Amino acid sequence: MKKHLPEAAAVLACCLAAVCLFQIASLRGEIGSLRSNLSNQISRVDSSVQAIYSTVGSQLERGASLLAGKEFRYEGEPDLANRTARLRCTVTPKEFSPDRTGATLYWSGGEAAMTLEQGAFSAVLELPLFSESSVSRVTFSQDGTLRTEALDWYFSPRTELLPCFYASFDGSASGSGGSYHREGSLWLDIANPHGTGKLPDSVVLIEFLDGVEKGRTDLIPDDALGGGGDGNDDQRRYTVDVTCEVPNGSTHELWIEVTDEYGLRYRMLVDRWITDAQGNGSPDENGWVWQGNEPEIYDAKGNLLYRPDPMQ
């Protein structure tokens, strides 16, 4: 019996060591959990403090403001003939005299006198449709005293009222002997800011050679692959398979032209192939400059209305 004591002691020691290791692992897990809980509590406290700062700041700002309310909204459809959009701006001062208080709105196009309507001053601005505009401030004058409230409103009627289109082209390209072949899928992303749900009236593939239009092809969407949706935020896929003649020393381009409900035409460059004097062809090496850019916009007569800066 005595001769087995060392073995029993060793087994017991191993069991105790295993129990200790298990307890240590359990304690580590509990410590990790406590650290996690403490971190979450600190994060919640920090968020609450930040929220308090934000709330107090907002209340102080409202308390110091001259205004009890302010708002703006677009009215009606864009005026394509004059290339403008109507914007109504309304401010409600906390204190004013209906008979003695005047209000003036200052914006990037100048200044506009505001009229008093049902306890609020309002003015209608004719914003340029294809440029950005801003409203900087409103002033109130009464008995020779002038008070100013900053507004800092910014507007982009083109993106806020008109549909937005972006096109991309994936697939393969090859060229030899003065001939260029391009095939693949053309993707058209559609966004209607006001949720009209209207899809393009037409989508056309236009071929240019050295800047001269050479041909047009109407495109039909592959509904089974890219169609569907309500048109408010949609994507369409079109299968393209074209072969074109590209003489030596020429530049060949493929553009997509999308016509919207207003008759405006949006053109996007989706492919450019350059052939040198020896007949060697290659894709445009500076394609990053134009790929994914906003479209050029033309009216129904082909007059250019908007051209984006390719570097922005």
Side-chain angles (χ1 to χ4, degrees):
M1 189 69 179
K2 291 183 178 181
K3 69 178 180 179
H4 294 295
L5 285 176
E7 296 178 358
V11 171
L12 180 61
C14 289
C15 292
L16 291 174
V19 170
C20 290
L21 289 175
F22 176 78
Q23 291 179 337
I24 291 173
S26 178
L27 288 173
R28 285 179 176 175
E30 291 181 6
I31 292 173
S33 178
L34 289 173
R35 285 179 176 175
S36 178
N37 291 335
L38 181 60
S39 177
N40 291 335
Q41 291 178 7
I42 292 174
S43 178
R44 284 195 295 269
V45 171
D46 184 63
S47 298
S48 298
V49 172
Q50 294 298 326
I52 292 173
Y53 281 132
S54 177
T55 301
V56 171
S58 298
Q59 291 178 345
L60 290 175
E61 184 178 345
R62 285 195 296 269
S65 173
L66 301 175
L67 304 178
K70 56 185 177 180
E71 66 174 0
F72 54 81
R73 69 177 186 274
Y74 288 104
E75 292 187 339
E77 297 289 332
D79 184 345
L80 298 182
N82 295 311
R83 304 179 186 179
T84 58
R86 288 172 58 87
L87 179 79
R88 179 176 291 275
C89 301
T90 303
V91 295
T92 305
K94 293 178 179 177
E95 300 178 357
F96 70 97
S97 172
D99 299 326
R100 307 199 315 274
T101 303
T104 303
L105 196 68
Y106 292 85
W107 67 295
S108 51
E111 58 185 72
M114 307 188 79
T115 58
L116 182 60
E117 301 174 359
Q118 299 179 347
F121 290 91
S122 66
V124 176
L125 307 179
E126 298 288 342
L127 303 184
L129 184 57
F130 297 100
S131 302
E132 295 183 352
S133 300
S134 63
V135 174
S136 59
R137 66 191 187 277
V138 60
T139 61
F140 300 99
S141 59
Q142 181 176 327
D143 302 330
T145 300
L146 190 67
R147 298 176 298 164
T148 301
E149 177 80 10
L151 294 176
D152 296 330
W153 292 342
Y154 297 91
F155 307 98
S156 176
R158 176 181 56 83
T159 58
E160 294 166 349
L161 294 178
L162 300 179
C164 300
F165 301 101
Y166 297 93
S168 60
F169 201 171
D170 58 33
S172 61
S174 61
S176 62
S179 179
Y180 172 58
H181 181 72
R182 186 71 160 98
E183 63 178 307
S185 297
L186 187 144
W187 295 92
L188 179 66
D189 292 295
I190 307 165
N192 287 298
H194 289 286
T196 60
K198 295 183 179 179
L199 295 170
D201 284 0
S202 69
V203 178
V204 179
L205 180 69
I206 308 177
E207 176 190 353
F208 285 90
L209 184 63
D210 294 331
V212 178
E213 183 176 325
K214 305 299 290 185
R216 288 173 170 251
T217 304
D218 292 328
L219 297 180
I220 306 299
D222 303 326
D223 286 333
L225 296 175
D230 57 9
N232 296 335
D233 189 6
D234 202 357
Q235 187 180 63
R236 299 273 148 164
R237 171 180 164 174
Y238 303 83
T239 299
V240 175
D241 190 341
V242 294
T243 300
C244 313
E245 296 299 321
V246 184
N248 293 356
S250 299
T251 298
H252 181 273
E253 293 178 342
L254 292 175
W255 290 68
I256 295 301
E257 183 178 88
V258 181
T259 303
D260 71 2
E261 60 189 281
Y262 302 109
L264 296 177
R265 301 176 181 179
Y266 302 73
R267 285 188 184 177
M268 293 150 280
L269 177 62
V270 295
D271 185 72
R272 178 182 288 150
W273 181 266
I274 300 175
T275 304
D276 62 20
Q278 289 72 42
N280 301 311
S282 63
D284 179 15
E285 295 181 354
N286 294 320
W288 61 270
V289 174
W290 49 264
Q291 288 180 353
N293 279 334
E294 297 174 284
E296 297 178 353
I297 304 178
Y298 297 81
D299 63 16
K301 297 180 180 179
N303 299 312
L304 179 65
L305 302 177
Y306 173 77
R307 174 172 287 156
D309 184 347
M311 299 304 293
Q312 292 184 353

